[in-house]
């Protein structure tokens, strides 16, 4: 067993262990922090497999953005931060059974599928340069369409969350009035532009 | 596309991107982006007047370009370095999607009977919601969002590799999840529909992606032609292949709404604003079936002895469950949703045929069914009482006496769904069943005919309710406006023409199918 394999194994143990703690801990904030450990160890596994770019993307997006989003969610919704027993769902045994079964199927498929096929990791095989030249050569069109997906998502998020669409009800206009006073309009449009 | 500036770097060679062949898609996406800019810079009262023509012109221009591609260039080509296949079936499906999207857009743009909420962020039943309602505004972002969805629908069936297909799937689905939650009436139902569709849709996308990963493990490539080539070499791991096919099928069948991946359909169709339901029931089904056709005909054709039994089972279940459960429905939109599930089953019989005639029959069926569906949902938006659309079937009692024309047209659409001769539904079903029978799937055809008969029962029941029962004193009235009436008229014309004179369209579908798929 090479040093690389040992490190990979250890990182795997950390990933699975902290993932189990995410769902078993009784404190919401601890769950979010264990998630950081799990994602971080996963990023480490990617690094060991020489997938540098994926590893850094994992750190930036999951450890950085997603967990911060989770913590903000906890803060903004005034969720219970201390120990709480309400975190246990009544369905947890059914969920455990399904999760174990799914994991069993997937692991069996991968183990049986690849058997003892072994591909030695190539240093520098997953750098940003290699991925970039592949993405911008063969995958240009899907990549550009993905940017449209982001745009659509942004527009959608604004549609779902903006609360300043309505003008202040003024005394002088009738109920079905499409043309409000222009001054009021400019103000709201300004905010709309800021959002977009 | 900003690829040009990136490609200026010395060591990256420009991939060939055939802009002319991708133009229909690019026009739709371009119109969507102009729409987003209009949303930012045009004053609120003028936005609707800008967005609606912009979207309509964008779709029409894309359709004209598709026609030109189809009739002049006869492309048979994998464009953008093999990411997108521009061939006969692609152009037929894209053209169908564009026309159906234009019809749906007419419904979406209906202002007299706003289907969309004025402010999505307002809590249902709150004061802010009432204010925004009284304000009479409309969230014009629906137009660019619709165009994004249509662009995704055009990419989904045209994708030549599984990764591009996944991107198309997401671009198509995400705007639809959002649009589902924007109904004006019954906001809670609408939001429930949006959340349900989002969660289940994300789940099915994960299946699709996992299947893609396993197939990559099998073939070493996500390109459909490479998977097909790997299959004919018959090396590699069976486990990865079969698990990959199964997971990929789950993702595709979810979008078609085949049993057992259908439970989202009635809830989402009922909760979404009816114009969006029309868009989903027509264009999304066309796109999803188109993608399934390409995957099963191009990548897994040599594997058909393995996936056909599964497809048989799914098709039989889908036809029977769709038809039988529809009988118990009392809400008109839910009933049409189950009818759409049953039609998904008929379309699957066309996929099972795996022949050129199966392909052309499925293409024809898609076009015929799409027109009828948009027309039927357009009429659902017209029948209204004080609380909005009259969803409950009981409220439709006696409609035939109060508005015989509308009730008559709706009855005609229902007969087309049932597949009565002289409607497009009959021609479509006949073509699909014939192809399936030629392909050796006679039991499947028998089940199809049986479930058509069961389905005819509940279609006729609606007709009986409309024409042979007394109207309630406060029965809903029919609100006719120019745009909705246009959509109904076009849907009706297509249903009649494709029923009485189907040959030109059949020829067109046949011509598209003779080119088969590029590899």
């Amino acid at each position: 067993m090479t040093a690389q394999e040992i490190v990979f194994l250890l990182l795997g143990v950390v990933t699975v262990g902290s993932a189990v703690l995410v769902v078993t801990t009784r404190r919401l904030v601890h769950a979010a922090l264990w998630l950081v450990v799990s994602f971080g160890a996963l990023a480490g596994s990617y690094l060991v497999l020489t997938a540098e770019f994926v590893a850094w993307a994992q750190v930036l997006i999951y450890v950085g953005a997603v967990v911060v989003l989770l913590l903000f969610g906890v803060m903004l919704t005034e969720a219970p931060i201390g120990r709480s027993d309400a975190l246990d769902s009544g369905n947890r045994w059914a969920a455990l059974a399904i999760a174990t079964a799914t994991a069993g199927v997937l692991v069996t498929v991968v183990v049986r599928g690849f058997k003892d096929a072994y591909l030695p990791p190539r240093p520098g095989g997953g750098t940003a340069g290699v991925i970039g030249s592949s993405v911008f050569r063969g995958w240009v069109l899907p990549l550009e369409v993905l940017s449209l997906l982001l745009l659509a998502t942004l527009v959608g998020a604004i549609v779902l969350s903006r609360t300043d669409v309505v003008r202040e009800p003024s005394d002088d206009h009738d109920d079905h009035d499409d043309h409000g006073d222009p001054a009021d309009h400019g103000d709201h449009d300004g905010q709309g532009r800021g959002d977009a | 596309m900003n690829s040009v500036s990136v490609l200026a770097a010395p060591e990256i060679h420009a991939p060939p991107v055939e802009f002319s062949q991708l133009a229909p898609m690019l026009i739709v996406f371009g119109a969507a982006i102009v729409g987003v800019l209009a949303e930012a810079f045009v004053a609120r009262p003028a936005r609707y007047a800008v967005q609606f023509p912009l979207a309509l012109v964008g779709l029409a221009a894309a359709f004209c370009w598709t026609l030109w591609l189809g009739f002049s260039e006869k492309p048979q080509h994998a464009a953008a370095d093999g990411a997108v296949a521009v061939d006969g079936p692609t152009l037929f499906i894209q053209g169908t999607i564009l026309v159906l999207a234009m019809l749906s857009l007419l419904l979406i743009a209906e202002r007299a009977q706003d289907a969309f909420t004025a402010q999505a962020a307002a809590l249902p039943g709150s004061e802010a919601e009432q204010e925004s309602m009284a304000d009479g505004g409309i969230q014009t972002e629906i137009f660019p969002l619709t165009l994004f969805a249509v662009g995704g629908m055009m990419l989904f069936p045209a994708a030549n590799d599984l990764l591009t297909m996944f991107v198309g799937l997401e671009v198509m689905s995400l705007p639809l999840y959002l649009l589902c939650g924007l109904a004006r009436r019954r906001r809670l139902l609408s939001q429930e529909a949006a959340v349900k569709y989002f969660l289940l849709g994300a789940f099915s996308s994960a299946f699709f992606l996992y299947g893609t990963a396993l197939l990559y493990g099998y073939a070493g490539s996500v390109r459909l032609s490479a998977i097909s080539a790997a299959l004919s070499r018959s090396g590699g791991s069976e486990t990865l292949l079969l698990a990959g096919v199964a997971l990929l099928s789950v993702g595709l069948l979810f979008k078609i709404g085949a049993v057992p991946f259908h439970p989202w359909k009635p809830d989402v169709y009922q909760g979404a604003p009816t114009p969006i339901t029309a868009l989903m029931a027509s264009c999304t089904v066309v796109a999803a079936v188109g993608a399934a056709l390409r995957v099963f005909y191009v990548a897994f054709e040599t594997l058909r002895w393995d996936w056909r039994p599964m497809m048989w089972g799914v098709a039989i279940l889908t036809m029977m469950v769709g038809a039988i459960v529809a009988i118990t429905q009392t809400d008109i939109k839910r009933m049409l949703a189950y009818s759409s599930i049953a039609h998904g089953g008929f379309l699957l019989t066309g996929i099972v045929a795996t022949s050129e005639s199966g392909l052309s029959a499925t293409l024809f069926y898609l076009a015929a069914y799409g027109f009828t569906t948009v027309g039927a949902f357009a009429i659902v938006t017209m029948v209204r009482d004080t609380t909005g659309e009259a969803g409950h079937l009981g409220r439709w009692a006696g409609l035939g006496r109060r508005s015989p024309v509308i009730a008559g047209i709706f009855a005609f659409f229902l007969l087309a769904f049932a597949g009565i001769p002289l409607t497009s539904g009959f021609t479509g079903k006949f073509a699909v069943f014939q192809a399936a029978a030629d392909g050796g799937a006679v039991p499947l055809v028998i089940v199809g005919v049986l479930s058509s008969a069961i389905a005819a029962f509940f279609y006729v029941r609606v007709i009986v309710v409309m024409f042979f029962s007394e109207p309630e004193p406060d029965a809903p009235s029919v609100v006719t406006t120019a745009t909705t009436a246009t959509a109904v008229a076009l849907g009706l014309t297509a249903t009649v023409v494709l029923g009485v004179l189907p040959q030109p369209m059949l020829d067109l579908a046949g011509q598209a199918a003779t080119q088969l798929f590029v590899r």
Side-chain angles (χ1 to χ4, degrees), chain A residues 60-122:
Chain A
L60 273 178
I61 295 167
Y62 286 91
V63 181
V66 171
V67 173
V68 168
L69 207 63
L70 266 175
L71 289 175
F72 265 101
V74 170
M75 283 191 329
L76 293 178
T77 54
E78 295 173 10
I81 288 180
R83 172 183 288 271
S84 78
D85 294 325
L87 290 180
D88 274 337
S89 158
N91 297 332
R92 59 184 182 279
W93 297 117
L96 181 70
I98 292 174
T100 319
T102 314
V105 169
L106 295 183
V107 168
T108 320
V109 165
V110 171
V111 168
R112 286 203 43 188
F114 289 106
K115 293 200 185 85
D116 47 1
Y118 186 78
L119 195 68
R122 209 155 26 92

Side-chain angles (χ1 to χ4, degrees), chain B residues 120-446:
Chain B
L123 281 178
S126 69
E127 227 170 85
E129 190 191 30
Q130 286 167 2
E131 276 173 28
S132 62
M133 291 266 225
D135 193 48
I138 178 171
Q139 288 206 302
T140 41
E141 291 93 343
I142 50 176
F143 291 101
L145 284 176
T146 307
L147 286 182
F148 279 126
V150 172
M153 289 170 196
M154 292 169 69
L155 179 61
F156 190 41
N160 198 27
D161 61 61
L162 294 172
L163 221 50
T164 310
M165 200 172 264
F166 178 73
V167 171
L169 174 70
E170 287 304 301
V171 176
M172 159 178 111
S173 308
L174 225 126
L176 285 179
Y177 301 149
L178 285 159
L179 290 167
C180 282
L182 300 183
R184 192 177 194 84
R185 320 272 178 172
R186 305 172 86 184
R187 302 260 321 123
L188 281 177
L189 200 66
S190 168
Q191 290 178 355
E192 184 201 328
V195 171
K196 198 173 260 178
Y197 194 21
F198 172 64
L199 289 178
L200 290 177
F203 209 56
S204 81
S205 297
F207 273 103
F208 188 94
L209 209 53
Y210 210 101
T212 306
L214 292 181
L215 286 171
Y216 181 76
Y218 171 77
S221 167
V222 287
R223 192 135 295 172
L224 298 180
S225 51
I227 294 172
S228 168
L231 270 171
S232 53
R233 278 199 308 275
S234 75
S237 154
E238 278 274 286
T239 323
L240 281 183
L241 173 68
L242 294 180
V245 173
L247 291 178
L248 198 69
S249 311
V250 171
L252 288 169
L253 292 173
F254 175 85
K255 282 290 158 200
I256 299 176
V259 179
F261 313 108
H262 70 290
W264 62 276
K265 222 171 183 180
D267 293 342
V268 173
Y269 278 21
Q270 187 188 15
T274 311
I276 298 302
T277 311
L279 182 75
M280 286 192 292
S282 55
C283 299
T284 310
V285 170
V286 175
V289 172
L293 277 172
R294 185 174 296 280
V295 166
F296 286 108
Y297 275 51
V298 176
F300 303 140
E301 203 194 354
T302 40
L303 193 70
R304 63 169 170 273
W305 300 112
D306 287 297
W307 61 257
R308 271 179 93 174
M310 168 199 84
M311 217 43 135
W312 268 59
V314 172
I316 289 175
L317 263 180
T318 308
M319 289 187 286
M320 291 314 268
V321 170
I324 292 171
V325 181
I327 295 176
T328 63
Q329 299 305 312
T330 53
D331 185 282
I332 190 89
K333 276 163 88 179
R334 285 185 85 85
M335 192 205 83
L336 287 177
Y338 277 104
S339 136
S340 156
I341 293 171
H343 283 277
F346 298 135
L347 286 162
L348 288 180
T349 55
I351 297 180
V352 168
T354 43
S355 61
E356 194 188 304
S357 64
L359 178 59
S360 79
T362 314
L363 291 179
F364 177 86
Y365 198 112
L366 282 173
Y369 172 69
F371 279 110
T372 314
T373 309
V374 175
F377 278 110
I379 288 185
V380 172
T381 68
M382 292 166 91
V383 180
R384 309 176 70 84
D385 55 21
T386 48
T387 58
E389 285 158 18
H392 197 276
L393 261 182
R395 306 279 293 146
W396 286 56
L399 193 74
R401 308 203 179 168
R402 295 163 60 96
S403 334
V405 177
I406 291 299
I409 296 175
F410 194 67
F412 185 73
F413 285 142
L414 291 177
L415 291 177
F417 281 140
I420 302 295
L422 289 183
T423 62
S424 61
F426 174 75
T427 324
K429 269 185 190 155
F430 187 79
V432 170
F433 287 159
Q434 194 182 29
D438 289 346
V442 176
L444 202 57
V445 173
I446 293 172

Side-chain angles (χ1 to χ4, degrees), chain A residues 20-32 34 80-89 92-93:
Chain A
V20 169
L21 281 170
V22 170
V23 288
T24 51
T25 178
R26 289 187 186 279
R27 294 165 196 255
L28 206 52
V29 178
H30 284 198
W34 281 120
I81 288 180
R83 172 183 288 271
S84 78
D85 294 325
L87 290 180
D88 274 337
S89 158
R92 59 184 182 279
W93 297 117

Side-chain angles (χ1 to χ4, degrees), chain A residues 132-147, chain B residues 1-4 6-7 12-17 19 22 80-81 83 164 167 223:
Chain A
S133 67
S134 154
V135 160
F136 284 103
R137 199 177 293 149
W139 302 100
V140 159
L141 191 87
L143 183 82
E144 297 293 338
V145 176
L146 269 183
S147 64
Chain B
M1 296 246 145
N2 63 12
S3 50
V4 177
V6 173
L7 299 169
I12 297 182
H13 305 291
V17 177
F19 288 105
L22 299 174
D81 211 11
T164 310
V167 171
R223 192 135 295 172

